[in-house]
């Protein structure tokens, strides 16, 4: 066994250079996990840091020949454990492939390497008056990681999710072959859309080495409107009406009172809401508008405020820009608030928008039946994507509660994850609840891409390779 | 052989009812082709008209057992021959599965059967103040057909293509198994996105039997702005600048003078452009804006007119609503104008938006080298999707010209088809020009879905089944 390991190390060193291969004991602990709360770290056999597509291909040829599991890692900010290495496997970190190769303002696209962070791309795009509209709440996330999970975030209600913005990919297959799909053109009907198939595949089909993503005009004028409601039903009923006006909110977020208290306390934010209103509120709707002129923005805010009042808001607040910005930032960091408060897991089930209120009832019932559990929530109301922080220290009880919550989401016509992905953390629920015909097809697609099953061991499916650890 | 055919007829009759099975000589000639100009009709062995998903599944079980090719047909308005049956095969027409099952205005979605036409869905959605924004220029197209080709159309520059609007599918696999993918939820990261994989697969992976599609607020205020330019470079340079303002055009079309003359003559449209301006114009940009209030529309038109002037337009016209509507309708019917004028083929290559001018130069050069050929064009300038009507009666010369044009599109970073699809008509060019690693993967994906190769014989790939006719 030691000889095989030494041999593998030599082969990987030949692929990426000895200085970019770390063996087990020398690998910093951080590489053993991502931000999933309920996934145990695993130390990989090797960490490699390729610097080019050719080096990624060389690594995969070695892994394929040796039948060793390979896990891709961007910034490690995922919430489903998809970047958690398999035991005995190779972890490929894209930290060196971190260049914004081009901001093309004639085509409104950027060409990026997978290790570029959202913050870095945002800075580069801003310089040209453009924006990449994926803001999943963690700007240190890598482009590769956000493509792997089909990241969404608050602005998805206006712009859509990652899937809507990726035009082309270069990716390396398990065999080491380099695939090129799509490009700078914004539409295409020329064969199966492999770009779309790779997006959201969580590192199980191929390793993305370059991406062409759309950029959009960076609009200058933004305002945030905050509306407390006396019932959750009013909030969820208001959302489709707001969308139906065509006002096109940039964000449309639901925040429950527990979460609002936590994020305003953490952020020390004074939103100017009188105590009496705060006490009678059950839930808040946070709507942000974005326009290209102040006049259009003012019009929109007046129209929205009027509508929210008619839809039953206790009052409507337009916090000053600094407080509004901090509220939205705090909302983006709700995961960290929940983690800081000791949450045991984070879910992001998705349901049809109009089913949100009924789904919350399901969650309340399930929680009440799970002795001592507490579930706090906020979510992308405009998208029906419900983020729940689950506090239930008992693992078996938590598992039963999650199973019940996800089954409710599926019964309402939804799915296990709206944007975090399945990874290793939610695999069992996904495999139980998804259409069995669909799951069987996904396995055959996986087989078509990765016949030896070396990519993303344990992610989405139990892994066929020895090196692939499963739950 | 006759016994086998009789046997097949009996099996199909058991699947859909004898009254919904037509045998060869009884099948109307229209079912032998779609609107592709350069694809010879083929009479199928049988035409079947299933009335339900269960009947589609029964047909596919029969076909799979008998290893007979199956071609799906919606309204037959496709432009690439994907609905052209294979010789000896079964043509499945969805004309009886033509119901709008639901307009859900709380979730802003419609649930439709594949035989519903765009016109029918538009009427149903309009009743709720909503719109399905795919307008590919042919409102008799079926939803199933537009999903199969990932149809685009003029409004794609604002709303995106079919792919961006389909949230869920029910589809029957070659085996007869029923697949359910997605649903009414607007985002999802739960396994591979099979919905996206089926969109644009031209009937080669599964037969869609039901779709959930997004609807959008139907905005009431529209205006059309028409700008003649003295050079094509000015037109194509103007487009990214217009997009960059954030003005969000509903349509952004390029029309060359030949095409403009043809469509205004056909439509007898007076746009009020003085003869002097008309004579110096080389190309026109047609930009349509859409807003939810008249004030916002007026603002937008003024801003756009001002910008077009700065970008070098000879003048800017805002035709009265009836003339504008007829211009846009005539542009939508450019295919029929070209067909009426005797065009021998229609192409819809796509390139990065900023590469359009260079691509037109390529086309001009290629055409000049193709003795006597004439190529007239218009296209979705905002999308880089160039529609060319090719007049070249000599088949071999036409083939050389097409090969050169498509090779130029690929060299500019584009692809063979932006929205019409590959079908049987453009297969050879697609297979020659696409990334070979991508094509090999597509074949493996096809194999994963349809191991006997019975679906869409001859479409995208040469067919492995005997019944599948190829070019």
């Amino acid at each position: 066994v030691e000889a095989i390991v030494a041999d593998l190390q030599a082969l990987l060193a030949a692929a990426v250079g000895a200085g970019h291969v770390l063996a087990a004991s020398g690998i910093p602990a951080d590489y053993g996990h991502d931000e999933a709360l309920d996934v145990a770290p695993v130390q990989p056999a090797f960490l490699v840091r390729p610097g080019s597509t050719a080096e990624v291909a060389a690594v995969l040829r070695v892994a394929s020949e040796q039948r060793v599991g390979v896990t891709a890692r961007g910034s490690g900010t995922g919430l489903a454990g998809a970047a958690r290495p398999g035991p005995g496997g190779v972890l490929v970190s894209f930290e060196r492939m971190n260049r914004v190769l081009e901001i093309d303002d004639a085509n409104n696209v950027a060409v990026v390497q997978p290790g570029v962070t959202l913050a870095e791309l945002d800075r580069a795009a801003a310089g040209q008056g453009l924006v990449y509209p994926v803001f999943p709440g963690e700007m240190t996330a890598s482009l590769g990681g956000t493509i792997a999970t089909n990241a969404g975030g608050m602005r998805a209600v206006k712009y859509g999710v990652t899937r809507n913005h990726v035009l082309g990919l270069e990716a390396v297959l398990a065999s080491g072959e380099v695939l090129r799909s799509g490009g700078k053109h914004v539409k295409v009907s020329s064969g199966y859309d492999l770009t779309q198939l790779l997006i959201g595949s969580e590192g199980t089909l191929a390793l993305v080495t370059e991406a062409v993503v759309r950029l959009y005009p960076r609009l200058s004028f933004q305002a945030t409107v905050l509306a407390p409601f006396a019932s959750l039903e009013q909030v969820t009923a208001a959302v489709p009406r707001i969308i139906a006006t065509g006002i096109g909110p940039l964000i449309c977020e639901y925040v429950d009172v527990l979460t609002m208290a936590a994020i305003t306390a953490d952020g020390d934010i004074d939103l100017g809401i009188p105590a009496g209103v705060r006490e009678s509120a059950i839930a808040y709707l946070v709507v942000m508008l974005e326009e290209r002129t102040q006049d259009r923005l003012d019009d929109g805010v007046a129209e929205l405020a009027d509508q929210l009042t008619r839809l039953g808001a206790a009052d409507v607040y337009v916090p000053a820009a600094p407080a509004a910005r901090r509220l939205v930032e705090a909302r983006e960091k709700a995961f960290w608030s929940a983690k800081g408060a000791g949450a045991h897991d984070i879910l992001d089930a998705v349901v049809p928008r109009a089913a949100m209120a009924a789904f919350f009832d399901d969650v309340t019932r399930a929680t009440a039946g799970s002795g001592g559990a507490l579930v706090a929530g906020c979510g992308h109301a405009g998208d029906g994507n419900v983020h729940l922080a689950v506090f239930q220290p008992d693992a078996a009880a938590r598992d039963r509660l999650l199973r019940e919550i996800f089954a409710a989401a599926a019964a309402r016509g939804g799915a296990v994850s709206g944007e975090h992905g399945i990874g290793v953390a939610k695999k069992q629920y996904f495999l139980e609840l998804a259409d069995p015909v669909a799951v069987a097809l996904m396995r055959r697609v996986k087989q078509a891409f990765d016949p030896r099953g070396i990519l993303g061991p344990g992610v989405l499916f139990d892994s066929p390779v020895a090196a692939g650890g499963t739950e």
Side-chain angles (χ1 to χ4, degrees), chain A:
Chain A
V1 171
E2 273 175 36
I4 293 171
V5 171
D7 194 38
L8 183 55
Q9 180 158 14
L11 291 167
L12 293 172
V16 299
H20 297 298
V21 180
L22 294 185
S25 60
I27 301 172
D30 261 2
Y31 287 97
H33 62 87
D34 61 11
E35 290 295 342
L37 293 183
D38 199 21
V39 174
V42 169
Q43 193 187 56
F46 295 102
L47 166 68
V48 301
R49 296 189 284 226
S52 68
T53 300
E55 289 186 5
V56 174
V59 167
L60 283 171
R61 279 194 299 272
V62 168
S64 192
E65 281 155 16
Q66 306 290 318
R67 289 182 156 70
V68 173
V70 173
T71 300
R73 181 186 176 90
S75 300
T77 58
L79 293 169
R84 197 267 303 263
V90 174
L91 184 67
V92 176
S93 168
F94 283 98
E95 61 206 88
R96 291 175 61 220
M97 294 178 69
N98 63 349
R99 278 178 302 142
V100 175
L101 299 172
E102 188 184 2
I103 300 288
D104 172 349
D105 73 341
N107 285 304
N108 277 11
V109 298
V111 183
V112 296
Q113 290 188 312
V116 169
T117 67
L118 291 173
E120 288 161 356
L121 177 56
D122 190 55
R123 274 195 296 277
Q128 309 285 329
L130 298 168
V131 67
Y132 178 64
V134 176
F135 289 82
E138 182 51 66
M139 295 297 281
T140 67
S142 70
L143 266 290
T146 54
I147 291 167
T149 57
N150 187 27
M154 296 204 286
R155 302 190 190 186
V157 66
K158 174 166 180 176
Y159 286 100
V161 296
T162 298
R163 176 173 306 293
N164 304 121
H165 310 303
V166 178
L167 298 177
L169 291 174
E170 177 192 80
V172 182
L173 302 182
S175 62
E177 291 170 290
V178 178
L179 166 71
R180 286 182 184 80
S181 173
K184 289 184 176 180
H185 45 285
V186 298
K187 69 202 283 196
V188 67
S189 291
S190 301
Y192 308 145
D193 198 323
L194 301 178
T195 307
Q196 289 294 326
L197 187 55
L198 291 184
I199 297 167
S201 66
E202 304 192 64
T204 64
L205 296 181
L207 301 194
V208 169
T209 48
E210 194 175 301
V212 181
V213 300
R214 292 185 85 146
L215 303 176
Y216 297 81
R218 199 174 185 99
L219 305 185
S220 306
F221 300 90
Q222 297 182 330
T224 301
V225 176
L226 179 65
F229 283 85
S231 85
L232 189 52
E233 287 69 23
Q234 285 181 315
V235 172
T236 54
V239 170
R241 303 274 59 83
I242 294 166
I243 306 253
T245 55
I247 206 165
L250 177 64
I251 73 172
C252 183
E253 293 288 309
Y254 151 76
V255 182
D256 74 6
V257 281
L258 273 179
T259 308
M260 180 62 93
I263 65 184
T264 52
D266 275 15
D268 193 19
I269 301 167
D270 181 6
L271 296 166
I273 305 174
V277 175
R278 274 208 308 271
E279 278 151 23
S280 65
I282 290 292
Y284 293 85
L285 199 59
V286 180
V287 183
M288 197 166 163
L289 299 182
E290 181 195 58
E291 286 282 3
R292 64 180 197 281
T293 69
Q294 186 65 48
D295 279 358
R296 292 170 85 90
L297 183 66
D298 293 345
D299 278 1
V301 168
E303 188 180 340
L304 176 63
D306 189 48
Q307 193 182 30
L308 283 166
T309 306
R310 275 183 286 112
L311 290 167
D315 205 340
V316 177
Y317 302 90
V318 184
R325 191 161 49 240
R326 291 176 63 199
L327 171 66
V328 171
E329 282 169 8
R331 164 62 194 91
E332 283 191 323
K333 298 290 178 204
F335 164 73
W336 298 104
S337 297
K339 187 180 178 182
H344 301 96
D345 208 348
I346 301 279
L347 323 185
D348 87 309
V350 64
V351 294
R353 189 192 292 140
M356 277 184 73
F359 176 62
F360 277 117
D361 286 346
D362 301 333
V363 171
T364 304
R365 250 193 317 277
T367 307
S370 176
L374 176 69
V375 174
C378 54
H380 307 316
D383 292 339
N385 189 197
V386 179
H387 290 230
L388 298 170
V390 175
F391 299 80
Q392 168 55 279
D394 181 76
R398 192 165 68 244
D399 173 53
R400 285 191 299 274
L401 176 57
L402 261 61
R403 181 164 276 115
E404 204 171 330
I405 290 174
F406 287 132
R412 300 278 174 203
V416 167
S417 172
E419 58 188 23
H420 294 172
I422 299 299
V424 297
K426 304 297 185 290
K427 176 172 58 175
Q428 55 189 336
Y429 310 108
F430 163 68
L431 292 174
E432 282 169 25
L433 291 167
D435 177 44
V437 175
V439 171
L441 264 179
M442 289 180 200
R443 288 184 195 276
R444 297 207 291 276
V445 169
K446 164 75 174 171
Q447 179 77 14
F449 274 74
D450 177 18
R452 296 183 175 182
I454 64 165
L455 292 178
V459 174
L460 283 179
F461 312 109
D462 292 327
S463 170
V465 294
T470 63
E471 290 303 77

